Amino acid sequence: MNIQNLIRPVIKALKPYSSARDEFQGNSDAMVFLDANENPYNNGVNRYPDPQQKNVKALLSKIKGIPVKQILLGNGSDEVLDLIFRAFCEPNQDNVISLPPTYGMYEVLANLNAVEIRKVNLSEDDFQPKVDTILAATDAHSKVLFLCSPNNPTGNSFSNGSVLKLLKGFKGLVVIDEAYIDFSTEKSWLTRLEEFPNLVITQTLSKAYGMAGIRLGICYASEEILKVLNTIKPPYNVNELSQKKAIELLNDKDLASVQIKSILEERTRLISDLATISFVSKIYPSDANFILAKVDDATKRYNQLVERGVVVRNRTTQFGCENCLRFTVGTKEENEELIKNLLLISKS
Ligand SMILES: *Cc1c(COP(=O)(O)O)cnc(C)c1O
């Protein structure tokens, strides 16, 4: 596959803005910086942040085993996804494929970028991609296929066989959104980046790593693809405070794994507790930190929970999710509060 042929002509021709911090690449110790019109008085944030976030990437590279050159960071994965649209999808001409029920941002970003979104529903019984139907829905203008695995809001991972067929059969970029991969029993596709030149993987520090507040999304892809995204990304897209906090928490080696372990234990407990609620009729298998469950009347139950101070996600309007609520796995205390209130509601 020739990635160059997928890039929008305007992007190919673009000359990127070169920031002061991009142009000076020498050793930054003991230098006098009079190049960026900053205030010289040190308060910890008076300097522009590193536009290439070298220290954060070095840590991620070590944790994930991927070379720094194959990592790009964004202001949340939502920014990364937006960069992919802007680099590869010609407005009013190209299209992308998404597989409902899934993460809502793919459609929002498609609309924002004036790019047609072709929806091919997941199978209704087990929420798996229908490979042949997906490939039949594509044409020469299909630039990106979004695979969210583990999928939000259903919680399941896509079968490796289906993903493999799509990676081989689709003639554009396959973006695997692995926001929930650290909760999953399935392996990440990161180890197979070399094999598939059209593979783009997004991850985030917002979920398992506990840093939704700093907005740090991660894109792993070939150097060729990242070169394009780097050309168009805003120069200082990840701010200094976010970079510092990410470094601090990523350096705390066992923090995430300890928390993930207890979230997974809580998930098991929450699943068995939910099964005791009379109006819960189905609990879907989860490979993530949330549980999708079918109830008798999702909107009624959602409102009853809100009245009692517990906010969950009502997914009833999504394809295949009629009367479904999505429960994020919280702390032991939070989950007990949820179950206590569900029991009270069921007895009222
Ligand atoms: C939460 C979530 C993200 C994370 O987005 P950020 O912008 O990095 O916070 C990405 N994809 C999916 C499917 C999600 O559910």
Side-chain angles (χ1 to χ4, degrees), residues 76-78 103 106 148 152 177 179-180 204 206-207 215-217:
S77 7
D78 293 347
Y103 188 44
Y106 313 136
C148 185
N152 178 4
D177 184 338
Y180 299 98
T204 178
S206 297
K207 306 287 158 61
R215 311 301 304 121
L216 219 155

Side-chain angles (χ1 to χ4, degrees), residues 294-307:
K294 201 182 268 300
V295 298
D296 55 348
D297 182 339
T299 303
K300 175 177 153 191
R301 302 308 183 185
Y302 171 85
N303 287 326
Q304 286 176 317
L305 280 173
V306 167
E307 272 170 38

Side-chain angles (χ1 to χ4, degrees), residues 20-315:
R21 287 296 174 271
D22 277 325
E23 293 198 351
F24 174 75
Q25 289 288 357
N27 176 15
S28 59
D29 300 333
M31 300 294 278
V32 176
F33 283 106
L34 302 175
D35 58 346
N37 300 346
E38 297 149 333
N39 179 321
Y41 297 101
N42 185 8
N43 61 9
V45 288
N46 59 310
R47 298 293 177 185
Y48 279 101
D50 174 7
Q52 281 301 322
Q53 307 102 13
K54 290 186 199 70
N55 296 334
V56 184
K57 285 181 185 172
L59 271 172
L60 286 169
S61 169
K62 215 167 67 189
I63 295 168
K64 297 287 179 175
I66 299 295
V68 167
K69 282 180 177 168
Q70 286 181 264
I71 305 176
L72 174 135
L73 301 183
N75 183 11
S77 7
D78 293 347
E79 184 186 43
V80 169
L81 296 170
D82 190 50
L83 291 176
I84 293 168
F85 271 97
R86 290 200 279 161
F88 294 98
C89 302
E90 193 62 34
N92 303 309
Q93 177 182 308
D94 289 332
N95 64 76
V96 300
I97 319 285
S98 121
L99 316 180
T102 194
Y103 188 44
M105 276 311 281
Y106 313 136
E107 181 164 11
V108 171
L109 290 171
N111 292 338
L112 189 60
N113 286 288
V115 170
E116 180 197 349
I117 184 154
R118 297 188 177 178
K119 299 184 196 174
V120 182
N121 291 336
L122 295 171
S123 61
E124 231 176 317
D125 49 339
D126 58 358
F127 297 127
Q128 287 293 324
K130 294 185 279 189
V131 174
D132 296 336
T133 318
I134 293 166
L135 293 177
T138 67
D139 61 22
H141 291 295
S142 301
K143 293 292 186 70
V144 187
L145 166 62
F146 292 101
L147 302 179
C148 185
S149 183
N151 186 39
N152 178 4
T154 60
N156 64 295
S157 294
F158 294 163
S159 85
N160 287 327
S162 301
V163 175
L164 205 56
K165 279 186 203 156
L166 290 167
L167 275 166
K168 288 177 178 165
F170 183 63
K171 301 280 185 287
L173 299 183
V174 176
V175 174
I176 307 186
D177 184 338
E178 292 190 337
Y180 299 98
I181 194 65
D182 298 289
F183 299 106
S184 174
T185 50
E186 296 292 329
K187 258 180 55 190
S188 164
W189 284 86
L190 278 180
T191 54
R192 307 193 66 175
L193 269 179
E194 298 302 322
E195 236 174 293
F196 303 102
N198 60 337
L199 173 57
V200 176
I201 295 165
T202 61
Q203 295 185 354
T204 178
L205 296 189
S206 297
K207 306 287 158 61
Y209 285 91
M211 294 182 241
I214 72 169
R215 311 301 304 121
L216 219 155
I218 311 156
C219 179
Y220 302 93
S222 69
E223 278 186 65
E224 186 179 17
I225 292 172
L226 291 193
K227 189 163 177 252
V228 186
L229 300 183
N230 266 313
T231 306
I232 65 170
K233 90 170 179 62
Y236 302 116
N237 63 329
V238 180
N239 73 67
E240 181 69 14
L241 297 175
S242 293
Q243 293 191 42
K244 282 201 171 121
K245 196 69 189 174
I247 291 163
E248 177 196 326
L249 294 185
L250 288 174
N251 266 322
D252 194 339
K253 269 198 166 33
D254 300 325
L255 186 66
S257 57
V258 168
Q259 292 178 349
I260 291 165
K261 188 164 172 282
S262 75
I263 290 167
L264 292 180
E265 283 164 12
E266 276 302 307
R267 184 180 71 189
T268 306
R269 209 167 64 95
L270 194 51
I271 288 171
S272 54
D273 287 350
L274 282 172
T276 68
I277 307 297
S278 59
F279 56 75
V280 172
S281 57
K282 181 166 185 180
I283 300 164
Y284 293 86
S286 171
D287 221 9
N289 66 332
F290 55 84
I291 299 159
L292 189 74
K294 201 182 268 300
V295 298
D296 55 348
D297 182 339
T299 303
K300 175 177 153 191
R301 302 308 183 185
Y302 171 85
N303 287 326
Q304 286 176 317
L305 280 173
V306 167
E307 272 170 38
R308 296 171 165 276
V310 180
V311 187
V312 301
R313 196 94 154 108
N314 184 358
R315 297 282 78 187

